[in-house]
Every structure is written in structure tokens, then in C-alpha cells.
Amino acid sequence: MKIYIYYGGRGLMDDPTLYVINKMQEVLEELHVAVKRFNLYEAKNSITTLPQTLKEADGIILATTVEWYGIGGFMQQFLDACWLYGDKEKISRTYMCPVVMSTTYGEREGKLDLSCAWEILGGLPCSGICGYIADTSVFDTNEEYNKLIEKKAENMYRTINQKMASFPASNQAVKQMVSITQNVVLTPQESEQLSSYASDDSYVRRQKEDIQELASLFRDMMESDDVEDEEEYINDFKNHFTPQAGFKAVYKIQIEGKRKPLIIEINGADQSCYYGTAGSCDVEIQVKKETMDDIVFARMTFQRAFMGGSMKMKGDFKILRALDQVFTFM
């Protein structure tokens, strides 16, 4: 007979659950049972693979400690992995004894949670043990507690050895009628392979490196698109520039969809057009891309766009009107 213990506590020296499962292990080994323990806090990076070990066990002990609320994250992760990757056929023939010790309130609820979870998985229940233990020294002074633990271990051995039957639970019936799990489309072998990948650090690392490489590739492509995007309209303004003697102005044009505004600096016969920032400007313009296209293709003027409400501006209106004179898109 093989009984595996899955301990979901944190491994603290004064954890009462550790005392209980150590005592149960001693009793079971005296009965010539092969006992193996899995400390979930030590296997936290490979919890998804642990359901595979259930195939070798005739019975298991799920042991955890309620330190503030509930059965704890490690045990919950293990149960989640059993639901996702466990062999439900093997679980249906596996007995489970819940052991929940508490240093605060909630040991009975924790024991009930483990029992319900195992029944929903389809497993077979054993009578468990729970209790409130504020100080593990009580085990040394109260021999009755030790007798209770020994009795529970013996009962578990007897239940598994005799394959005692139990009445069906309603939560199993509910599971069969309404539950939908992701692993119904996977064979047990595929589930094992999936869980092995999930816990393989080198595989996960390679996947992350591949994702980073793809992200870098797409980022470079986007940056390339941005460079091309920031050339838009600049040649249009350069090619249609008509110098006006003595005219000097700075325009800031924010085109919808552009991250940076288009800056146009005019100083007589010289002009500069670029996307960026300017210290100060004479006219600020907000315009939609469609309206800007109409302007550079000579279907619209800056003044008409402003008067028609398709463009907003702030600054000197005379300098705005001069845009249609220094840039002739005809």
C-alpha cells in the first residue's frame, strides 16, 4: 500500500499540522505502508506536475494549516492542478484523508473545503482530523491527542485496505451535470505534457525570450512606420513654399492621429518644417487628418477650414491667413 502526503503549510517549526502528519506517518509505516511526503512550499514551481504522482498512490493525505483564512495558496494551487491536469479516472479510485490544524479560526471549514474539493474531483473520502492548536507543546502534555491521531491513521489504513464504500455525494452529481473543464479535449498524456511544460523553467524561459524577440521585431516595425509617418506633409509644405519678403512666423499644427505637432518656421525666404516642439509660436492649429489632406491637395484652404469649423486655431488671425499666401497648394 502507498499513501502520499501533500503538505500545504509553510513548514514552520511550530506548525501543528507538521506534528500531526509526522505522527500519522509513523503509525502508517509501522503498518508497513510506503509513505511519501510532498511539501508544496518546496515544490511551488512544479505544483502543476504533482497530480501525476497521484497515479502511484492508493490513498493520500491533504494536510494544511489555517493561519488566518482558508486552506492557503499552495494547497489551492495543488487542487487547481488536480482539476486541470489530474487523471480523473485514477482520482475516482483514490481515498483522501483531510488534516487541517488551525492557529486561528476556521479548521472545520478548511477540512470541509478539502473534503468537498476531493469529492468534486471524483475522489473517495476518508474520515479526517481537524483542531485548533495554539501551541504545539500541548501534544507533549496531552496523551489523548496523540491517541486520536493514531486512531485516525489506523482508520485510514483500514478504509483503504478494505476498500470501504461510501454513499455518493451530491456535489459529484452536480459536477457530472454542469461542470465544464478544459482538459476534456486532452488525453491524460497530453495533460501531463502540458503540465510538464508549465513547470519546466528552461521551456518557460525560452518562451519568454521568443516573446521578447517578437515584441522587439514589432517595435522596430512600428518605429519604422513612425519614421515614415513623421515625413508626411513635410515635402508638401517645402514644395509649395512661396516666400514673402519680411514675413516671419512660427506655426504649430497638431494633426489628429499624430503624436507630435507639425512645426513650421518661416523667416523671409527661409522656412523649416518638422515634427517636434517649438519654444513659442504665433499660431496654434488643431486639425483633422482628412481636413489636412484637403488642404495639401488644394481642395480647401486654411482660412476656409477655420471658417467652416473643421479646424481650430489660437493666435493671430492675420498670421493664420498668411498661411494660404506662403503655401500655395494650387
Side-chain angles (χ1 to χ4, degrees):
M1 183 187 297
K2 292 183 180 180
I3 294 180
Y4 289 174
I5 301 174
Y6 298 88
Y7 167 66
R10 294 189 295 148
L12 302 179
M13 291 183 61
D14 59 347
D15 188 342
T17 304
L18 282 176
Y19 182 92
V20 173
I21 58 178
N22 286 335
K23 192 69 175 177
M24 293 183 73
Q25 183 170 349
E26 290 177 8
V27 175
L28 292 170
E29 288 175 346
E30 289 175 1
L31 296 170
H32 305 291
V33 176
V35 181
K36 186 175 182 180
R37 185 190 303 180
F38 297 90
N39 294 323
L40 301 185
Y41 68 90
E42 293 177 347
K44 57 185 177 183
N45 293 327
S46 58
I47 286 180
T48 52
T49 63
L50 287 182
Q52 300 174 34
T53 62
L54 294 172
K55 294 182 177 181
E56 306 166 4
D58 300 298
I60 67 169
I61 296 173
L62 295 183
T64 190
T65 307
V66 177
E67 294 185 272
W68 77 280
Y69 184 80
I71 61 175
F74 294 136
M75 183 58 69
Q76 187 65 58
Q77 278 184 268
F78 174 70
L79 291 170
D80 287 346
C82 290
W83 177 256
L84 295 172
Y85 309 121
D87 184 345
K88 302 299 195 304
E89 179 63 27
K90 179 61 179 70
I91 291 175
S92 68
R93 302 190 303 271
T94 304
Y95 290 88
M96 188 279 294
C97 174
V99 174
V100 180
M101 294 290 112
S102 172
T103 58
T104 179
Y105 174 80
E107 70 282 355
R108 294 183 184 276
E109 289 78 1
K111 176 188 170 186
L112 180 61
D113 286 344
L114 292 181
S115 297
C116 288
W118 193 249
E119 287 178 344
I120 291 175
L121 287 167
L124 301 170
C126 286
S127 176
I129 183 171
C130 67
Y132 167 73
I133 304 295
D135 187 348
T136 54
S137 62
V138 300
F139 290 116
D140 299 325
T141 60
N142 195 323
E143 188 60 29
E144 294 298 320
Y145 289 170
N146 291 288
K147 290 181 179 179
L148 283 173
I149 298 170
E150 293 173 2
K151 198 68 174 177
K152 287 294 182 181
E154 293 170 359
N155 287 341
M156 181 182 184
Y157 171 81
R158 193 176 297 110
T159 299
I160 297 173
N161 189 49
Q162 298 178 6
K163 299 188 183 304
M164 291 185 178
S166 60
F167 285 109
S170 60
N171 46 23
Q172 291 182 355
V174 170
K175 181 204 72 167
Q176 294 170 0
M177 287 188 292
V178 303
S179 68
I180 300 175
T181 60
Q182 294 295 327
N183 67 333
V184 292
V185 296
L186 300 175
T187 65
Q189 292 76 20
E190 290 171 333
S191 296
E192 288 182 14
Q193 186 178 21
L194 179 62
S195 60
S196 298
Y197 284 147
S199 62
D200 187 343
D201 290 339
S202 62
Y203 176 81
V204 173
R205 184 166 57 253
R206 286 197 305 273
Q207 295 300 307
K208 289 182 178 179
E209 290 173 355
D210 291 343
I211 292 172
Q212 290 176 353
E213 185 177 348
L214 286 171
S216 177
L217 175 63
F218 284 116
R219 185 169 57 250
D220 292 341
M221 293 173 62
M222 291 178 65
E223 289 176 354
S224 177
D225 291 341
D226 289 342
V227 170
E228 295 179 3
D229 192 50
E230 290 185 357
E231 295 295 324
E232 191 175 16
Y233 302 122
I234 290 179
N235 289 332
D236 294 312
F237 280 94
K238 288 182 178 179
N239 296 335
H240 296 84
F241 177 58
T242 304
Q244 302 290 322
F247 180 71
K248 183 178 180 181
V250 177
Y251 298 90
K252 176 182 176 181
I253 305 176
Q254 182 63 61
I255 304 170
E256 185 177 345
K258 301 285 186 182
R259 291 185 299 176
K260 298 178 182 179
L262 179 64
I263 306 299
I264 302 174
E265 298 177 348
I266 302 172
N267 188 0
D270 298 325
Q271 68 96 10
S272 176
C273 185
Y274 59 90
Y275 286 94
T277 57
S280 60
C281 56
D282 299 292
V283 175
E284 293 185 25
I285 296 172
Q286 291 184 358
V287 61
K288 294 183 178 180
K289 188 178 186 304
E290 294 81 0
T291 303
M292 196 68 180
D293 290 338
D294 288 341
I295 292 172
V296 298
F297 287 108
R299 296 191 293 264
M300 179 78 70
T301 64
F302 284 101
Q303 185 175 352
R304 284 175 54 197
F306 173 70
M307 298 301 291
S310 56
M311 185 179 77
K312 298 179 181 179
M313 66 84 65
K314 182 171 66 175
D316 193 327
F317 183 68
K318 292 182 180 180
I319 298 179
L320 172 67
R321 285 193 302 173
L323 263 179
D324 291 322
Q325 298 172 3
V326 295
F327 296 102
T328 54
F329 299 102
M330 299 297 291

